[in-house]
Amino acid sequence: MVPLISGLLLLIFGAIISSPDAPFPQGDEIMHIRSIRESLQMGSYWIPSLSGMPNPYKPPLLFWLGMVSDQIFGVGYAPERLVSLVFGLGSLFLLYRLAYLIRNSKIEAAITAILFGFSFLSLKFFGLLMMEGLMAFFVLFYFYHFYLYRKTKRKVYLILGSFVSGIGYLLKGPILHVYLFLFIISYFYVKVIRFRKGKININWKHILKEKFIILSFGFTILVPVIWILFLYFYVPSGKDLLRFFFITENVGKFYSANQPGIRIWFGWILYTIPFTIPIFHMVWNSVFQKNQIKHQIYVQTILVFLILVTSLHLLPNRKDPYYVTPFISFLFLLPLMNRMSWESYLSTKTNRFSILIVYFVLVIIAILLRLPQLFVVSLFGTVIAGSSFSLNHNNTRSFWMIILTQIAIIPILIFFLLRPMSDPNLPEQTLEANQENICVVAENPWTAMDVQNKLESAKIQFSLPLTIEENCNHTNYLINYTSKEVPQGYIMVNSWYHWTQHLQMDVPTLFNSILKMDLSKFKTKISLWKRGVGI
């Protein structure tokens, strides 16, 4: 069963990365892909470019890897997203190895990796050209080698883990080092600090005994120091890039519009789907664990670490839910560290009942949206989920039925709900203009970047709605993403609708639209215009 499910997971990832329209898009991916392709065209290999200028927003590792992949396999979405998939599969392998070292059970280790692979986090970020999948790998890589060091006392493991994880600086800057530092702080907090009779006792001798953990942290800064010195002394615009990245890009997060802290906490719920209920069950058990267990030090360290990184991301004004994604994998290790099996958590009535509810809701959605394939698959899932109640709780067949119905939830959403309702294919809608000069009228320049990524042979010019006449003078075609009227001289040759990403609707209007099945409220009209005579 495990090889079959693993092969199915690879097929799902293959289908996700090859489609230009990702099932769970993330806006930053547009910029990442644009930067890679533009850098290749301009020959800006060491310092990736964006809009004709050095890209100041992120360090270059993701773009380097994307360029290498494009050079090997050809320019396209699949080669570029393959970078995230390779690191995602690396995370699954590290998780499997850790689970096996902890529990010494191949089946439990395989189930741990499979469940993480079918989580919303994996099926989203391992299929997108985003830093989050790579960040998850580097954090897990450090913990894996930290665990090996404590298990074997061989310093080479910690040196290797620290040095390789330090390369992660080239993804999002020093935030990875902050994560690793907080992990070390969490470990020593658990090992050194004791609360007895209302007093705090600090075991300083233990700090001296394990001082190499602290000293090895120095290996994480080798690559960052080399890169910063290279930019500062050998790149003409290096000082400006460093200033923009450290001050404008990072410190600026504290001065942007403040977002509610609930967004960070929501990330823990969102990215553990569809295993949120059993995971929160095991977190609850871990917090109130009374029995002494072999891996108690790791359980406590992980819990303290997760609290610290959550608190860290509550400090800046910008609080995106996906900030917690590098740490989700730790939650999947808790049952094994607590000497519990996955069966004990997945087979609970609460979890089985939640699966049944999800499939029942999918059946209702299929009826309302008239999606016959979704209806058939969801109805079959409802029957399977319901039949698990009639089988013996300890029955192996019942356990695998629960796993199969639970891991199938996100793929069903992708292929039977989101794909049939996805936006029209842009190259097909703009077939006659695919190799022409096109002016894209939109509120955000990233819309033009997205069009350029999808129409590789076209030459794209971006224009705000108020500057159409100035910016679109020399283009034969125009794609209008706004409600702004197109100047005279253009004739509409095609139009279509796409889903509105940011709905500006009050609650009564939202519920009214849902009840009346008025999908037009959720869509925006896009139109293709040609200068001169139409078709």
Side-chain angles (χ1 to χ4, degrees):
M1 185 67 75
V2 169
L4 182 64
I5 296 175
S6 301
L8 177 63
L9 181 61
L10 288 177
L11 289 176
I12 291 171
F13 276 124
I16 291 174
I17 67 172
S18 60
S19 173
D21 293 308
F24 307 111
Q26 193 73 33
D28 287 354
E29 188 198 35
I30 296 171
M31 182 268 287
H32 298 160
I33 292 175
R34 187 74 246 127
S35 187
I36 288 171
R37 296 182 184 181
E38 188 176 309
S39 300
L40 284 174
Q41 292 171 359
M42 297 178 62
S44 302
Y45 302 114
W46 280 109
I47 308 295
S49 299
L50 183 66
S51 301
M53 301 290 290
N55 187 345
Y57 297 102
K58 292 291 186 291
L61 181 58
L62 184 72
F63 309 118
W64 286 345
L65 295 172
M67 284 188 276
V68 170
S69 187
D70 271 350
Q71 290 283 63
I72 295 174
F73 301 105
V75 177
Y77 282 90
E80 289 150 358
R81 290 170 175 167
L82 185 63
V83 172
S84 294
L85 179 57
V86 168
F87 277 86
L89 295 176
S91 296
L92 295 179
F93 174 75
L94 288 175
L95 196 64
Y96 171 84
R97 288 294 303 156
L98 268 168
Y100 181 72
L101 289 171
I102 292 168
R103 190 62 181 268
N104 196 28
S105 169
K106 289 186 177 181
I107 186 64
E108 287 292 337
I111 291 174
T112 301
I114 286 172
L115 296 183
F116 181 62
F118 279 94
S119 67
F120 181 59
L121 180 155
S122 299
L123 290 175
K124 176 178 180 177
F125 284 108
F126 293 173
L128 292 176
L129 188 68
M130 293 288 293
M131 278 82 173
E132 279 58 41
L134 283 72
M135 290 285 286
F137 172 83
F138 281 112
V139 172
L140 201 57
F141 188 88
Y142 179 82
F143 179 67
Y144 174 71
H145 288 83
F146 180 90
Y147 184 88
L148 287 177
Y149 164 73
R150 291 199 71 245
K151 187 179 181 69
T152 64
K153 301 303 179 183
R154 295 181 62 185
K155 294 180 180 180
V156 65
Y157 287 125
L158 201 52
I159 293 173
L160 179 62
S162 299
F163 176 77
V164 173
S165 298
I167 299 174
Y169 169 88
L170 298 177
L171 283 172
K172 298 184 77 170
I175 187 63
L176 182 64
H177 292 71
V178 176
Y179 295 155
L180 301 184
F181 180 73
L182 289 179
F183 178 82
I184 293 173
I185 290 292
S186 303
Y187 173 74
F188 279 105
Y189 171 81
V190 173
K191 288 287 288 185
V192 172
I193 297 179
R194 293 289 182 270
F195 295 92
R196 291 191 178 95
K197 298 179 180 180
K199 295 182 180 180
I200 299 177
N201 297 317
I202 301 177
N203 186 353
W204 297 104
K205 291 182 179 180
H206 192 82
I207 296 179
L208 295 174
K209 182 181 177 182
E210 298 204 64
K211 62 182 180 295
F212 185 73
I213 294 176
I214 301 173
L215 295 175
S216 65
F217 185 77
F219 289 97
T220 66
I221 67 174
L222 293 179
V223 171
V225 167
I226 293 172
W227 176 247
I228 291 172
L229 291 176
F230 171 75
L231 287 178
Y232 193 86
F233 290 107
Y234 296 101
V235 178
S237 59
K239 296 182 182 66
D240 294 329
L241 289 173
L242 291 171
R243 187 182 303 111
F244 181 91
F245 178 69
F246 283 110
I247 298 177
T248 306
E249 175 70 7
N250 285 286
V251 179
K253 289 185 172 76
F254 290 86
Y255 296 97
S256 58
N258 194 19
Q259 296 174 327
I262 192 66
R263 287 166 59 88
I264 294 294
W265 295 105
F266 178 66
W268 292 110
I269 299 174
L270 177 64
Y271 290 107
T272 53
I273 290 175
F275 312 107
T276 306
I277 289 178
I279 282 178
F280 275 80
H281 182 193
M282 66 182 70
V283 169
W284 177 271
N285 287 347
S286 299
V287 172
F288 296 99
Q289 177 71 254
K290 293 183 179 181
N291 298 328
Q292 291 292 323
I293 54 177
K294 179 181 178 182
H295 291 90
Q296 187 171 14
I297 182 68
Y298 291 110
V299 173
Q300 294 174 347
T301 298
I302 287 173
L303 293 176
V304 173
F305 174 61
L306 297 184
I307 292 172
L308 289 180
V309 292
T310 303
S311 302
L312 171 70
H313 284 298
L314 290 173
L315 296 178
N317 286 357
R318 184 176 176 183
K319 304 177 180 71
D320 284 321
Y322 68 80
Y323 287 168
V324 303
T325 53
F327 326 111
I328 296 292
S329 59
F330 289 98
L331 296 175
F332 285 80
L333 293 171
L334 289 179
L336 307 184
M337 290 181 175
N338 284 323
R339 293 190 303 182
M340 299 289 289
S341 67
W342 275 105
E343 184 174 1
S344 62
Y345 287 105
L346 297 180
S347 298
T348 61
K349 287 186 177 180
T350 304
N351 185 58
R352 286 186 288 169
F353 191 65
S354 69
I355 298 172
L356 185 61
I357 291 176
V358 168
Y359 278 100
F360 180 74
V361 170
L362 287 176
V363 170
I364 301 301
I365 292 174
I367 294 173
L368 294 176
L369 298 181
R370 300 175 184 178
L371 297 173
Q373 292 180 334
L374 177 63
F375 175 78
V376 172
V377 172
S378 302
L379 188 62
F380 180 72
T382 304
V383 173
I384 298 298
S387 64
S388 67
F389 285 90
S390 62
L391 297 175
N392 189 335
H393 175 73
N394 296 319
N395 190 295
T396 302
R397 181 186 298 178
S398 172
F399 175 55
W400 281 106
M401 286 172 60
I402 294 169
I403 289 182
L404 290 174
T405 51
Q406 198 152 7
I407 65 176
I409 290 174
I410 303 296
I412 287 173
L413 288 175
I414 292 173
F415 296 107
F416 297 100
L417 177 60
L418 299 179
R419 281 284 172 87
M421 301 184 68
S422 61
D423 293 331
N425 183 277
L426 183 64
E428 292 179 1
Q429 299 297 324
T430 60
L431 191 60
E432 68 175 80
N434 281 354
Q435 297 183 356
E436 301 285 343
N437 294 334
I438 303 174
C439 185
V440 175
V441 182
E443 301 287 350
N444 194 316
W446 285 21
T447 303
M449 291 185 189
D450 188 35
V451 174
Q452 182 68 84
N453 290 340
K454 292 175 179 176
L455 306 179
E456 295 180 43
S457 301
K459 186 176 181 180
I460 304 299
Q461 171 71 40
F462 169 69
S463 174
L464 291 168
L466 297 177
T467 59
I468 296 179
E469 294 185 4
E470 293 84 353
N471 293 331
C472 301
N473 277 337
H474 306 293
T475 58
N476 297 324
Y477 288 87
L478 182 150
I479 302 178
N480 189 7
Y481 281 82
T482 69
S483 57
K484 177 74 174 178
E485 290 187 7
V486 174
Q488 292 183 354
Y490 286 95
I491 297 177
M492 187 170 69
V493 295
N494 195 11
S495 65
W496 61 96
Y497 289 86
H498 78 166
W499 294 101
T500 304
Q501 294 184 4
H502 303 287
L503 299 174
Q504 302 295 329
M505 301 176 65
D506 54 75
V507 175
T509 305
L510 178 64
F511 278 104
N512 253 351
S513 302
I514 294 175
L515 291 174
K516 293 179 180 179
M517 295 301 296
D518 186 5
L519 297 182
S520 64
K521 296 288 186 181
F522 300 91
K523 290 189 173 185
T524 302
K525 183 179 180 180
I526 313 299
S527 53
L528 172 67
W529 300 74
K530 182 178 181 180
R531 189 185 296 275
V533 295
I535 55 175

